[in-house]
Structure formats: C-alpha cells, structure tokens
Amino acid sequence: MENLIFKEMNLSKEILKAVEQMGFEEATPIQSKTIPIILEGKDLTAQAPTGTGKTCAFGIPLIERVDKSDDNIQVLIICPTRELVIQVADELGEVAKFKKNIRIVPIYGGQQIERQIMLLKKKPQIVVATPGRMMDHMRRKTAKIDKLRAIVLDECDEMLNMGFREDIDEILLSVPKERQTILYSATLSKEIMNITKLYQKDAEFVRVTHKELTVPTIVQYYVEVKNKNKIDVLTRIIDANNYKLCLVFCNTKKMVDELTSDLNTRGYGAEALHGDMRQMQRDRVMSRYRKGLVEILVATDVAARGIDVDDIEVVFNFDIPSDEEYYVHRIGRTGRANRTGIAYTFVAGKEIYKLKDIMRYTHAAITMVKAPTIRNVEEVRLEGIMTMVESIIQNGKLSRYIDYVEKIVANEANDYSSLDIAAALLSIQLGTSEDNEEEPDDEPAEEFKPSKKRKKDRFGSSHEAGMTRLFINAGTLDGIKPNIIVKMVASSSSISGHEIGAIDIREKFSFFDVPDAYADEIISALSGKVHNKRKLNLEIANRR
C-alpha cells in the first residue's frame, strides 16, 4: 500500500490547513493505514514503533469526529508517562489549531490537581492522561467519562510493563460499552491480545514496522566532540569546505535559538526555524534560504518537515536524533536531484551507542572523522586568497601598490624582501601571526578531508558569489562609518544588518556588498535621502 496524501483523505479544510502548517504532505504508513479505519468508527489494534507518526494517526481522525456542540469528554487518551501526555496533547493542539471550540486537556501526576480540576471544569472534549491520575479524577468525579465516544491506549505495552494493568481494566470497565476502542503498541504480547479480546469488538489489526531505509547518495560522517566544543567544530567544518547552504538540526527549540544567535555573533548568516515561530516568519526564513541569502538554517525536526530545497550541500546533526527514522529524514534533505550529499553527526560521550543503533537501522557506513583544526581552515583560506591574488595580478592596474612595495624594499635600514612583505600581508589578511600558531598536539587530522566541491573563497571581501557591490556618494568626510551604513540599510529595507557584506569607506564615497536580491530595493530606499546635508546617491558598482 502506497502512503496516502492528506489532501486525498476525507478531511476537513481546518485539519488540512493545520497538517500543512505542521509540514506534512504525505501520510506515514501508520497514518495511511489507520486514519481511514478510525474515521469509520471501527475498533483498532495497531502495532507501530515510536517515531512512526502514530499520534497524528489517531489524533487527526478523532479530532474530526469530535462533536463541538457536546461539552462532555468524548475522547480519552491514556499514555504511560507524563512526558508522553504532554507531547501528545501538544501535537493534538497543533492538529486542532483551526478547529474552533475544541478543548484538549492534559492530566498527569506531579501537577497540582486543583489546576487540573479547574481545566476540567472548562468542559474539554479531549483528555490526555496517565492511568493513575485519571483514576484519581474518576474517584473524585471531577472527570466524567460516562458519555465517552472513543478511548485510546497509547504505548499499551509500556503501560503493562509499568504495572498499570489493573488501572487499564478499571478505566475500560467504567466507560460506555458502545464506544470506539483504539490500541497502539510496539509489540503484541499475549497480555495485549487479551485486552483486545476483552474490550474490543471486531477490531481491525494493522502492523507497521520500521522501513529499512538507505541513503546511498549521501556520504555520512560522525565526529566525536564534547558538547562545549560543538559550535567550534561546526564552524571549522563549514569553513574548511566552503559550504554555502547548510542545514543544522537541534533537538530543542531553545538549542535552535541559542545556536543561531552564536553563529550570527561569529559572523555567519544563520536563521532559526522552529514551532514557536509564526507561519509568516517561517515562510520568510524559507524564502530567504531558498534564494541563498541565508547560509545556515538551524531547525528542529518538526519545523523542518516541510523543507524542500534541492541545493542543500550538507546536513549537520548538531544533536544526535532521538529516533532512527528522524536521522534518515534529516540527512535526506541533502543529496537530492541526483546530487551527492554530505551529512555530519556530532556524538558526545555515550551517544555513540545511539549512533550504532542508527547504523544498524540504516545499513549505512557512517565514517568517523576528526574535526578540522585551525590550520586546516587556514590552508583553505590561503587557497582562496591566492586565487584572488592571481586574478588581481592578471587584471593589472597595480602600479600604485608596486611603488609602495619598492619603497619598503629599497629602504636599506629594513632589509626586507618582497617575499617578506607578501607573507606579512597574507598574515594580516588571515588575522594570524607566527606567535599564535597551534600547539603541537593540534596537528591536522589525517582523517579530515575537505569536500572536493570547492567554491569561491567565502572570506573574500567584495568577491563573494551572490553579492552585489553598491556605490554610495558619501565617505569619511561626511561622517560615514561602517555602523552608520549598516544602520541606514537595515532601517530602510527588509535586509538585516548581519547580511551586509564587506564595507569599504573612502574619503568622498564608499562601497558595500549586499545580497543580489536586495540590491535594487536598497538603491530605491536610500537614494535621495540626506545624510549630514549630503543628498545620497546609490548605484551598482559591479555585479558578480
């Protein structure tokens, strides 16, 4: 059976809109098989492991079947842990986002029961609960389930392992006989089959296992690194390979925000993508990413589900994913359209065991590499600079600068050669000197091999691909400084300050680089404005 497209299912426009915003288009196997069954009101026993999309598999059809005019609890979902209760309630909230007057309440131990009683008085139609706390509310008669239409036992095998069998029996015996009973479990033991026999009627059985997915067009590496050093390793790998379009995955929204902020502080063009962002913000970020105006997109798994960009060069698992299937989905964002993709996974300490599980699941060879050293990165930068030097020499027009070099060489008091001067200028360009070379134990790693897909040097000032150099008729005599240019541009256009490239300020005029897509907008926005009594004029100096 092929996976179904959500738009092909018998779903309301509100659910379809929510599903689209969650980044889903094609249903997972468990969703394709079980949503139609649940929509028909049939009992269901489904064997499905974690990470296969089972929450939406029962959540979508049950939300569709809720009667909004009925204030009784209509759906009860029982989960083994408070963490799963919260997770399921949150995901159902996303599904019901555009369904007005549908109320979902999570109930679990560890939270003040008075608060839960207050929420239950608001008459939710859907309750997600742990067995023990649900039993507590049933005894207090603060949660009435005599009008229940459907009950879900999520991760039933885990609940049995935790000793909740008696609670499950008592809950199932307390709900109306005429109801829909849905059971999800990773395994179907004799005890689970006993529950099925006792409490279900003519149940449909569905079994979904992990697909054995392989990704042959993606070269996969892993790097053993301490958590505190991850950002250094990330930036070195990007710099050593001149990657221009990167996708970085983190496990939490907080980590996404922190990493994005750190990357921007270090001078990289990074944007965040996660579930707390409004759809308009997500659309804006994705539009800029597709245009190549953002070099690093940092995302969570949920937010990245809708990403469909063919040119992503490399995927980084900044945090190792919690589920094997997430790994496959993550790295599958690169290597599209018959291209060869590259994926790096950062592994800290005991996470190596998680990585071995992933390797068994994907049947893929994930090769260990050492992180590039500062010297590796410097060598790449030098290659780019030398390419620029050769190009400048071929273009000529260097007589003015040759005169300066000849003056220094001719000075007998210095005894410098032209090679000394060239080497010193390279040191200035790189921001290094012989005094701050790396310690001997930080030698270049033999295992590290930069990608062969070299692009133009990302450290070049006005020679970056995708950038336009603009001329402005104001310079130091007009009080122009780099921060003033950044402020003028950012406040007058839709570009942010960190996207502005190299700035070159002269006495009476200046140059600055901006992404190609924004050049005309900035010229239009600033031309004619007045700065220190000078009417500004902007035009394109050159386009690369």
Side-chain angles (χ1 to χ4, degrees), residues 329-541:
H329 293 315
R330 285 181 179 188
I331 70 171
R333 305 295 175 181
T334 184
R336 294 191 172 192
N338 296 319
R339 295 180 175 91
T340 298
I342 298 173
Y344 290 89
T345 299
F346 293 167
V347 179
K350 294 181 180 179
E351 289 179 342
I352 190 68
Y353 298 112
K354 286 186 182 179
L355 186 76
K356 289 180 178 179
D357 289 338
I358 289 171
M359 292 172 70
R360 281 193 294 269
Y361 169 53
T362 59
H363 301 287
I366 306 178
T367 307
M368 177 184 173
V369 292
K370 287 186 178 179
T373 63
I374 293 174
R375 194 169 299 167
N376 291 141
V377 176
E378 188 176 284
E379 287 171 359
V380 174
R381 293 181 66 185
L382 278 169
E383 288 180 19
I385 291 170
M386 293 311 298
T387 300
M388 290 171 57
V389 168
E390 291 174 6
S391 176
I392 292 170
I393 292 172
Q394 290 172 4
N395 290 335
K397 300 180 181 179
L398 294 173
S399 57
R400 175 185 171 188
Y401 306 104
I402 290 173
D403 290 343
Y404 280 104
V405 174
E406 286 179 342
K407 285 179 183 178
I408 297 174
V409 173
N411 189 334
E412 295 180 359
N414 292 330
D415 193 26
Y416 298 146
S417 70
S418 55
L419 281 177
D420 292 330
I421 297 168
L425 290 172
L426 273 178
S427 176
I428 292 170
Q429 179 68 20
L430 287 170
T432 61
S433 69
E434 290 296 320
D435 293 334
N436 65 359
E437 284 195 344
E438 297 178 54
E439 296 297 323
D441 62 348
D442 197 10
E443 290 298 315
E446 293 182 1
E447 295 89 340
F448 175 74
K449 297 179 181 178
S451 167
K452 293 181 180 179
K453 298 192 300 177
R454 283 286 169 81
K455 293 191 175 182
K456 294 182 179 180
D457 179 53
R458 73 181 296 276
F459 299 89
S461 56
S462 63
H463 299 275
E464 287 191 4
M467 300 291 278
T468 296
R469 167 154 283 201
L470 298 184
F471 165 89
I472 183 170
N473 64 329
T476 55
L477 295 179
D478 305 291
I480 288 292
K481 297 179 181 178
N483 65 314
I484 291 176
I485 287 181
V486 170
K487 185 176 180 180
M488 284 196 303
V489 173
S491 62
S492 303
S493 65
S494 56
I495 190 175
S496 58
H498 66 77
E499 293 175 80
I500 299 171
I503 299 175
D504 183 9
I505 298 176
R506 312 289 175 87
E507 285 188 355
K508 297 182 180 180
F509 56 89
S510 303
F511 298 100
F512 61 98
D513 295 350
V514 297
D516 291 342
Y518 292 101
D520 294 335
E521 177 190 349
I522 293 168
I523 290 172
S524 176
L526 290 180
S527 291
K529 287 197 171 186
V530 177
H531 176 77
N532 282 355
K533 299 181 180 181
R534 178 178 289 279
K535 187 176 182 180
L536 299 180
N537 176 53
L538 279 80
E539 58 187 62
I540 294 175

Side-chain angles (χ1 to χ4, degrees), residues 226-232 234 248-264 266 270-277 296-301 316-320 330 346 351:
K226 294 178 181 177
N227 284 317
K228 65 179 182 179
N229 297 331
K230 281 184 178 180
I231 189 167
D232 289 327
L234 174 65
V248 182
F249 282 101
C250 299
N251 288 346
T252 66
K253 291 175 281 190
K254 181 182 178 183
M255 190 66 242
V256 166
D257 286 334
E258 290 178 356
L259 178 58
T260 303
S261 176
D262 289 344
L263 287 169
N264 283 315
R266 292 177 179 228
E271 291 273 12
L273 192 73
H274 58 64
D276 282 352
M277 298 168 62
I296 305 172
L297 183 64
V298 187
T300 57
D301 290 289
F316 292 93
N317 291 308
F318 195 82
D319 297 324
I320 195 166
R330 285 181 179 188
F346 293 167
E351 289 179 342

Side-chain angles (χ1 to χ4, degrees), residues 28 30 48-54 155 210 305 323-326 329:
T28 66
I30 192 66
T50 301
T52 52
K54 57 186 175 62
E155 296 196 3
H210 272 318
R305 284 171 181 167
D323 188 90
E324 294 93 340
E325 285 195 18
Y326 286 173
H329 293 315

